[in-house]
């Protein structure tokens, strides 16, 4: 097992050993931070983070298979009930902008516990909402509180060894996919075999309480990152990162197109299968969520490939698969169940694979800003999801299925154009810099500006700085603090 670098978690010198979360909740002794005994990165910790992503992202998807039942429960039209997926996605977007940056400011253990407990309380409100307007308002708040996975993913990138980072992140991302599958499947099952669709919300409550207990018992209490920024500065830095980092800007636009397509497919699937010629019930529609198991199984494999090959190439392959998939949907989605099943399998695989490729690229922008760059990226992806969950069903219901899937096909085509405008080794905003190879570039040691006592600044390589931090972890009386940004020097193959 590889020992997590203190530099990666942004805590170069943290002699304090807090014994309580929130000032009153005891932290189990094994989970307390001790600079003399660094925590170890392990497969078990990786899969616990993945489980956390599964349970906490599922509330975003519980409503998708039961839209028909919700319209009957509150006596509203189909077009009215389609606002529910848009509201939860919109709430998620608000959480991405204002909550996930806190991962670069606050200790992540109490932040994660707070989000889970708040979401649990709101889930009770969803089950007890007396009218549709109240249900909509609570669903929007649920979306805000379910950004927990977007704290877990950059936490994984911070803690995993660099050589295994893409693989580790892909495992946590597979938990995200698992949450999509679980949310859609269990929602359809409970709607079919229990008297009320409300039961899915009670199940969600129990799952989140159990997860909160598990994280309290096992999640290491890593200190907060030392960014030197306050909350308004953290938020403003996200804007600056988007405007000054070409690789992040490109990834954001790709994520928007990909998420628009994925969510438009899943939110219209209920109407596609409920109508002619299929006429499936909620339970049968929910079973289609099982196709996401293929994406769960493929995500770690995509991560291993991204650790070997250039992540730009990973994104390219994913978008080509997505384009072929949308062509199948456009040509045959309402003719037979076989193309529908194929599209359900490939839409999640393509989306998650391009996400893994994008994350491997933009996580290298700044190790102390991984929560922020992930927040910027996920903001754009959920802008895409919000747009897809709104435009997709409206176009499907008003203009037909072919019009809807023609739009999603065009979105993927646009993503491919954006990808090719900036090659894998480009340093500017557009172009390939004369390098056409898709091989992964070798990384020279990163250069870090280090401020020592007395204000003297010394430039060290990433490896040298890690050694210094290791000495600080073992009790060095003169720890250093990283104040500059990391600038990777690329050597093309």
């Amino acid at each position: 097992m590889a020992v997590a670098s203190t530099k990666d978690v942004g805590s170069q010198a943290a002699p304090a050993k807090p014994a309580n979360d929130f000032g009153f909740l005891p932290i189990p002794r094994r989970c307390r931070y001790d600079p003399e005994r660094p925590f170890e990165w392990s497969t078990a910790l990786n899969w616990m983070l993945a489980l956390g992503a599964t349970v906490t992202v599922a509330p975003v998807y519980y409503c998708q298979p039961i839209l028909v039942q919700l319209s009957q429960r509150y006596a509203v039209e189909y077009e009215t009930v389609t606002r529910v997926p848009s509201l939860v996605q919109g709430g998620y977007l608000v959480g991405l902008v204002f909550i996930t940056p806190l991962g670069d400011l606050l200790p992540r253990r109490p932040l994660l516990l707070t989000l889970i407990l708040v979401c649990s309380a709101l889930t009770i409100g969803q089950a007890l909402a007396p009218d549709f307007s109240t249900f909509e308002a609570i669903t929007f708040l649920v979306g805000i509180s379910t950004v927990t996975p977007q704290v877990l993913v950059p936490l994984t990138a911070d803690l995993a060894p660099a050589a295994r980072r893409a693989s580790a992140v892909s495992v946590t991302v597979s938990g995200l996919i698992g949450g999509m599958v679980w949310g859609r499947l269990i929602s359809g099952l409970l709607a079919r075999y229990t008297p009320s669709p409300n039961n899915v919300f009670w199940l969600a409550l129990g799952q989140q309480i159990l997860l909160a207990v598990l994280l309290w018992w096992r999640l290491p209490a890593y200190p907060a990152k030392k960014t030197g920024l306050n909350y308004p500065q953290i938020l403003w830095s996200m804007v600056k990162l988007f405007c000054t980092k070409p690789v992040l800007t490109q990834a954001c636009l790709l994520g928007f197109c990909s998420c628009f397509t994925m969510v438009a497919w899943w939110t219209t699937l209920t109407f596609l299968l409920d109508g002619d010629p299929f006429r499936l019930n909620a339970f049968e529609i929910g079973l289609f969520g099982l196709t996401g198991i293929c994406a769960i199984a493929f995500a770690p494999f995509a991560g291993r490939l991204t650790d070997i090959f250039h992540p730009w190439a990973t994104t390219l392959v994913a978008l080509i698969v997505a384009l072929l998939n949308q062509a199948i949907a456009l040509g045959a989605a309402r003719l037979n169940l076989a193309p529908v099943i194929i599209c359900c399998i490939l839409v999640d695989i393509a989306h998650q694979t391009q996400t893994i490729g994008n994350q491997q690229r933009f996580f290298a922008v700044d190790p102390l800003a991984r929560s922020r760059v992930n927040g910027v990226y996920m903001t754009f992806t959920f802008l895409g999801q919000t747009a897809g969950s709104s435009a997709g069903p409206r176009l499907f219901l008003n203009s037909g299925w072919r019009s809807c899937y023609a739009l999603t096909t065009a979105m993927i085509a646009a993503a491919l154009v954006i990808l090719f405008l900036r090659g894998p080794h480009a340093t500017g905003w557009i172009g390939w810099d004369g390098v056409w190879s898709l091989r992964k570039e070798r990384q020279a040691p990163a250069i870090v500006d280090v401020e020592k006592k007395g204000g003297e600044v010394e430039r060290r390589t990433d490896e040298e700085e890690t050694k210094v931090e290791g000495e600080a972890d073992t009790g060095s009386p003169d720890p250093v603090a990283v104040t500059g940004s990391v600038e990777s020097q690329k050597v093309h193959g």
Side-chain angles (χ1 to χ4, degrees):
M1 292 183 293
V3 178
S5 167
T6 310
K7 174 184 179 223
D8 279 344
V9 293
S11 53
Q12 286 70 32
K17 304 175 186 179
N20 298 289
D21 287 322
F22 315 111
F24 68 89
L25 182 65
I27 300 175
R29 189 170 299 275
R30 73 172 69 86
C31 298
R32 297 177 188 176
Y33 176 74
D34 186 345
E36 296 182 0
R37 293 192 309 153
F39 297 115
E40 292 184 336
W41 174 256
S42 66
T43 301
L45 176 59
N46 201 173
W47 283 106
M48 185 181 74
L49 297 176
L51 175 64
T54 297
V55 172
T56 54
V57 81
V60 178
Y61 301 95
Y62 283 141
C63 293
Q64 289 183 5
I66 59 172
L67 292 178
V68 174
Q69 284 71 24
L70 289 174
S71 70
Q72 295 169 353
R73 171 186 171 186
Y74 291 111
V76 295
E77 299 293 332
Y78 276 6
E79 188 168 347
T80 301
V81 83
T82 60
R83 296 202 300 255
V84 171
S86 299
L87 282 168
V88 73
Q89 301 290 347
Y92 207 110
L93 174 62
V94 172
L96 286 169
V97 174
F98 295 103
I99 303 297
T100 58
L102 293 174
D104 286 337
L105 189 64
L106 302 175
R108 280 168 282 191
R109 177 185 161 97
L111 175 61
L112 290 166
L113 293 175
T114 298
L115 289 173
I116 294 169
L117 293 176
V118 169
C119 187
S120 299
L122 291 171
T123 301
I124 299 174
Q126 281 184 301
L128 300 178
D131 54 63
F132 188 65
S133 296
T134 303
F135 182 84
E136 285 183 302
I138 295 174
T139 298
F140 179 76
L141 296 177
V142 166
I144 296 176
S145 65
T146 51
V147 293
T148 306
Q150 304 312 325
V151 179
L152 293 170
V153 170
L155 176 61
T156 303
D158 281 343
L159 303 181
R164 295 172 50 196
R165 183 165 294 136
S167 299
V169 168
S170 70
V171 170
T172 304
V173 169
S174 73
L176 278 170
I177 310 169
M180 299 177 193
V181 175
W182 176 251
R184 294 164 182 154
L185 175 63
I186 199 64
S187 181
L189 284 172
L190 292 179
R192 176 69 174 84
Y193 290 109
T194 64
S196 170
N198 286 352
N199 291 320
V200 71
F201 303 121
W202 295 117
L203 177 65
L205 173 64
Q207 291 173 342
Q208 291 178 91
I209 294 299
L210 289 175
L211 176 64
V213 173
L214 174 63
L215 294 185
W216 170 80
W217 185 248
R218 300 299 302 179
L219 186 65
Y222 290 100
K225 293 184 176 183
K226 293 193 172 182
T227 62
L229 303 176
N230 57 34
Y231 183 61
Q233 290 171 330
I234 285 280
L235 294 179
W236 176 242
S237 70
M238 295 173 68
V239 178
K240 292 171 64 178
L241 286 166
F242 174 76
C243 294
T244 60
K245 304 297 182 182
V247 66
L248 177 61
T249 306
Q250 183 188 44
C252 288
L253 298 177
L254 297 176
F256 178 92
C257 296
S258 179
C259 279
F260 182 102
T261 300
M262 181 193 70
V263 174
W265 170 260
W266 283 108
T267 53
T268 58
L269 183 65
T270 298
F271 305 115
L272 178 70
L273 298 177
D274 183 62
D276 293 328
F278 306 118
R279 292 294 178 184
L280 304 183
N281 58 40
F283 167 69
E284 293 166 332
I285 294 173
L287 289 178
F288 279 76
L290 288 174
T291 58
I293 294 174
C294 299
I296 296 173
F298 188 79
F301 177 69
R304 288 192 294 271
L305 287 178
T306 306
D307 276 331
I308 298 171
F309 300 104
H310 198 289
W312 189 96
T314 303
T315 304
L316 172 62
V317 172
L319 290 177
I320 291 174
V321 172
L323 184 63
L324 294 175
N325 186 59
Q326 292 309 304
I328 294 173
L330 178 61
R334 207 155 208 172
L335 304 181
N336 192 279
L337 275 179
V340 175
I341 294 171
I342 292 172
C343 289
C344 287
I345 292 172
L346 294 182
V347 71
D348 281 343
I349 288 178
H351 170 66
Q352 297 303 334
T353 301
Q354 72 87 29
T355 297
I356 291 168
N358 279 333
Q359 285 175 328
Q360 181 68 355
R361 296 173 70 202
F362 66 67
F363 274 150
V365 166
D366 187 343
L368 293 182
R370 287 195 176 116
S371 289
R372 280 169 282 161
V373 294
N374 189 67
V376 172
Y377 174 75
M378 296 308 301
T379 295
F380 273 81
T381 63
F382 274 83
L383 280 172
Q385 291 203 24
T386 303
S389 62
S390 177
R394 289 179 182 274
L395 192 59
F396 187 99
L397 293 173
N398 295 329
S399 302
W401 61 282
R402 288 193 188 276
S403 296
C404 177
Y405 301 142
L407 176 61
T408 56
T409 302
M411 292 297 289
I412 297 299
L416 280 167
V417 172
I418 293 169
L419 183 67
F420 276 103
L421 285 176
R422 186 177 188 277
H425 306 290
T427 56
W429 288 91
I430 295 178
W432 286 62
D433 285 0
V435 181
W436 296 90
S437 171
L438 296 183
R439 291 183 296 171
K440 190 171 187 177
E441 69 268 21
R442 291 176 285 112
Q443 294 277 337
I447 304 300
V448 183
D449 288 339
V450 180
E451 182 178 350
K452 303 177 69 176
K453 285 187 175 180
E456 178 186 356
V457 176
E458 178 181 348
R459 296 184 68 81
R460 294 197 183 111
T461 66
D462 195 2
E463 290 83 354
E464 290 171 344
E465 175 59 18
T466 302
K467 291 178 181 178
V468 172
E469 288 165 0
E471 295 168 1
D473 286 341
T474 56
S476 170
D478 185 23
V480 296
V482 174
T483 60
S485 62
V486 176
E487 301 175 354
S488 297
Q489 296 181 335
K490 298 180 180 179
V491 181
H492 302 310

